[in-house]
């Protein structure tokens, strides 16, 4: 990707579990926001996604020379039915903001110039390529030649082209769009999670965990084995916890209250009375035991509010859950990084030109450095020493 906030020129290959580390301002949050941006643009279109971020000028890399930027985002993934890790699908989005010339008004107006490219490869046989430029869709035939169609000016092909017939690639574009729309950027709203849920059970955990009680009630009812395992981990994460308890509210079971039954205490502890760390722990465990997660889950400051003694189990759970959802996580915690492998670590730095460098050091170099030390230092200590970059000098 190029020119998205501090990500002036960044290429990152993600594995199953990816943990971003680095100083504040190094680009970790911006990298996570690219994921959120693609989801927003797919669901609501490009202009609304930019408006949520205060407009194009606040999203584009602010070049000190004042040059206007073109933002480019390219994603490669094995998404469609005939793709594979060796024959990936590729989506590219490029957009810029240009002045609209008009002699009728002295007020400057801007419009978005956008272009998209869809390339769907196949393990065997020819693939398919579709490009969108302004209001023109071009279907590139494998045997040569092109067909064209029109697109409503200002619309994003990612949102519109799923309506095409399967013969024209609608099914493939839809698979890609569904992946982007499902991306989860998990950011727990502890105040909202403390409240009773307004439904009895919920199959999908909200991105802010505001339906925590209803989602856990769903797990307890529909996936009891997962719920029992979650409850065992919750006892380790929340000292003194015996079990989770649900109470239906609203007469006909329209809502759910979650309480904690704790050792040595009479009655039950409401979520309003529970600690900040306890709410965070329950929300993260709910995410990690989700039976139907999205393709990609992003979490910022995953260890916030958690005691270091549970980090071993947290990393184990992340690796187990990464078989169902790819993880992209940001942290400032050396103890958590100590429990990672070099392939799971992505060091972020910000250069003198204000552009992020991600990764700041190749995993192979990290692995070689770790082997040279023969286990004398963990990855977290190695990172915190400044040897890997991403720390104050």
């Amino acid at each position: 990707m190029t020119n998205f906030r501090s990500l002036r020129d960044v290429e990152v290959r993600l594995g199953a579990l990816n943990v971003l580390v680095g100083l504040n301002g190094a680009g970790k949050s911006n990298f996570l926001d690219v994921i959120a941006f693609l989801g927003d643009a797919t669901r609501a279109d490009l202009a609304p996604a930019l408006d949520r971020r205060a407009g194009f000028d606040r999203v584009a890399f602010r070049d000190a020379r004042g040059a206007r930027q073109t933002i480019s985002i390219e994603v490669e993934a094995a998404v469609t039915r005939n793709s594979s890790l060796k024959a990936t699908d590729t989506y590219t989005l490029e957009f810029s903001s240009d002045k609209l010339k008009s002699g009728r008004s002295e007020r400057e107006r801007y419009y978005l110039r956008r272009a998209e490219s869809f390339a769907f490869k196949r393990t065997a046989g020819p693939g398919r390529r579709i490009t969108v430029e302004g209001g023109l869709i071009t279907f590139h035939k494998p045997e040569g030649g092109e067909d064209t169609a029109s697109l409503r000016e200002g619309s994003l092909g990612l949102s519109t082209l799923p309506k095409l017939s399967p013969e024209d690639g609608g099914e493939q574009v839809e698979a890609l769009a569904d992946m982007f729309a499902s991306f989860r950027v998990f950011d727990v709203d502890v105040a909202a999670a403390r409240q009773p849920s307004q439904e009895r059970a919920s199959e999908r955990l909200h991105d802010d965990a505001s339906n925590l009680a209803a989602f856990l009630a769903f797990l307890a009812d529909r996936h009891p084995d997962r719920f029992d395992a979650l409850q065992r981990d919750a006892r380790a994460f929340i000292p003194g916890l015996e079990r989770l308890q649900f109470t239906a509210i609203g007469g006909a079971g329209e809502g759910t209250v979650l309480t904690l039954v704790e050792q040595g205490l009479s009655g039950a502890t409401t979520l309003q009375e529970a600690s900040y760390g306890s709410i965070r722990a329950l929300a993260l465990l709910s995410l990690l035991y989700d039976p139907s997660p999205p393709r990609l889950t992003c979490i910022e400051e995953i260890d916030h509010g958690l005691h270091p003694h549970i980090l071993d189990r947290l990393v184990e759970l992340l690796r187990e859950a990464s078989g169902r959802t790819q993880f992209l996580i940001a942290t400032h915690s050396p103890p958590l990084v100590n429990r990672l492998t070099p392939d799971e670590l992505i060091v972020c730095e910000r250069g003198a030109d204000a552009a992020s460098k991600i990764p700041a050091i190749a995993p192979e170099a990290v692995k070689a450095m770790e082997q040279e030390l023969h286990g004398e230092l963990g990855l977290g200590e190695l990172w915190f020493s400044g040897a890997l970059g991403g720390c104050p000098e």
Side-chain angles (χ1 to χ4, degrees):
M1 70 194 76
T2 59
N3 296 323
F4 188 97
R5 291 186 167 153
S6 67
L7 310 178
R8 188 170 192 177
D9 188 5
V10 168
E11 180 178 339
V12 183
R13 294 193 175 275
L14 300 179
L17 173 59
N18 311 273
V19 181
L20 302 167
V21 299
L23 293 172
N24 291 331
K28 303 186 300 297
S29 296
N30 291 339
F31 193 83
L32 294 179
D33 192 47
V34 172
I35 307 300
F37 177 80
L38 285 171
D40 291 343
T42 302
R43 289 184 292 267
D45 217 331
L46 182 58
L50 289 170
D51 289 343
R52 289 190 63 176
R53 293 160 176 80
F56 179 88
D57 286 343
R58 303 309 301 175
V59 173
F61 181 80
R62 289 177 287 153
D63 194 308
R65 296 168 297 180
R68 298 200 66 77
Q69 304 293 337
T70 295
I71 297 174
S72 177
I73 303 171
E74 181 174 291
V75 178
E76 289 188 30
V79 181
T80 58
R81 185 170 46 200
N82 295 311
S83 65
S84 70
L85 292 178
K86 293 184 178 180
T88 54
D89 304 307
T90 304
Y91 172 72
T92 304
L93 169 64
E94 293 185 355
F95 57 99
S96 60
S97 177
D98 292 335
K99 291 182 181 180
L100 186 64
K101 296 179 180 178
S102 173
R104 296 184 178 181
S105 172
E106 294 182 0
R107 181 182 174 187
E108 288 187 338
R109 296 182 181 274
Y110 293 85
Y111 70 99
L112 288 172
R113 186 189 299 275
R114 65 184 82 192
E116 294 170 272
S117 173
F118 302 82
F120 302 107
K121 298 178 184 177
R122 293 183 179 178
T123 304
R128 182 193 306 275
R129 189 164 73 93
I130 305 171
T131 56
V132 180
E133 183 110 24
L136 181 68
I137 309 168
T138 303
F139 303 91
H140 303 267
K141 297 180 180 180
E143 65 276 11
E146 299 173 346
D147 286 334
T148 61
S150 61
L151 178 72
R152 181 171 59 84
E153 190 69 35
S155 295
L156 200 63
L158 199 60
S159 302
T160 306
L161 297 189
K163 298 173 185 176
L164 293 170
S165 67
E167 293 77 18
D168 287 330
E171 187 177 290
Q172 291 168 305
V173 177
E174 184 176 24
L176 199 62
D178 286 348
M179 178 185 73
F180 291 149
S182 73
F183 284 169
R184 171 188 282 163
V185 181
F186 196 63
D187 186 11
V188 181
D189 183 337
V190 172
R194 291 183 189 276
Q195 301 304 313
S197 292
Q198 299 304 306
E199 52 188 329
R200 175 67 187 89
S202 176
E203 295 185 20
R204 184 184 180 279
L205 179 65
H206 293 173
D207 292 349
D208 61 358
S210 56
N211 65 336
L212 179 61
F215 181 75
L216 285 170
F218 161 75
L219 280 185
D221 182 48
R222 300 288 294 277
H223 298 273
D225 291 344
R226 283 186 176 278
F227 179 76
D228 290 344
L230 181 153
Q231 196 164 226
R232 285 195 296 272
D233 279 317
R235 294 188 188 106
F237 282 35
I238 306 172
L241 177 69
E242 283 188 356
R243 59 188 172 86
L244 303 175
Q245 179 174 276
F246 303 97
T247 304
I249 57 173
E254 296 174 354
T256 304
V257 171
L258 171 63
T259 54
L260 315 181
V261 178
E262 300 182 89
Q263 296 171 3
L265 297 178
S266 62
T269 302
T270 67
L271 292 189
Q272 285 81 3
E273 299 168 315
S275 72
Y276 178 94
S278 295
I279 305 296
R280 287 270 308 173
L282 287 174
L284 284 172
L285 288 172
S286 298
L287 178 144
L288 293 169
Y289 277 100
D290 188 343
S292 302
R295 293 282 296 263
L296 176 65
T297 298
C298 303
I299 312 171
E300 186 148 17
E301 300 301 336
I302 188 172
D303 53 296
H304 186 51
L306 304 181
H307 194 279
H309 85 278
I310 65 172
L311 294 181
D312 281 325
R313 181 56 181 156
L314 177 61
V315 172
E316 286 178 9
L317 287 169
L318 284 167
R319 288 180 179 141
E320 290 171 12
S322 69
R324 301 188 301 277
T325 179
Q326 197 173 25
F327 282 106
L328 182 58
I329 293 164
T331 185
H332 285 114
S333 169
L336 188 147
V337 177
N338 267 339
R339 292 155 171 85
L340 302 177
T341 66
D343 290 338
E344 295 167 338
L345 182 65
I346 301 175
V347 180
C348 307
E349 281 189 339
R350 191 166 183 176
D353 61 354
S356 297
K357 186 178 180 182
I358 307 176
I361 182 172
E364 295 76 16
V366 178
K367 190 178 297 184
M369 203 175 299
E370 183 187 49
Q371 291 172 348
E372 188 177 338
L373 289 167
H374 305 292
E376 294 177 12
L377 290 178
L379 275 184
E381 296 161 315
L382 200 56
W383 162 55
F384 206 63
S385 74
L388 307 182
C391 271
E393 295 182 357

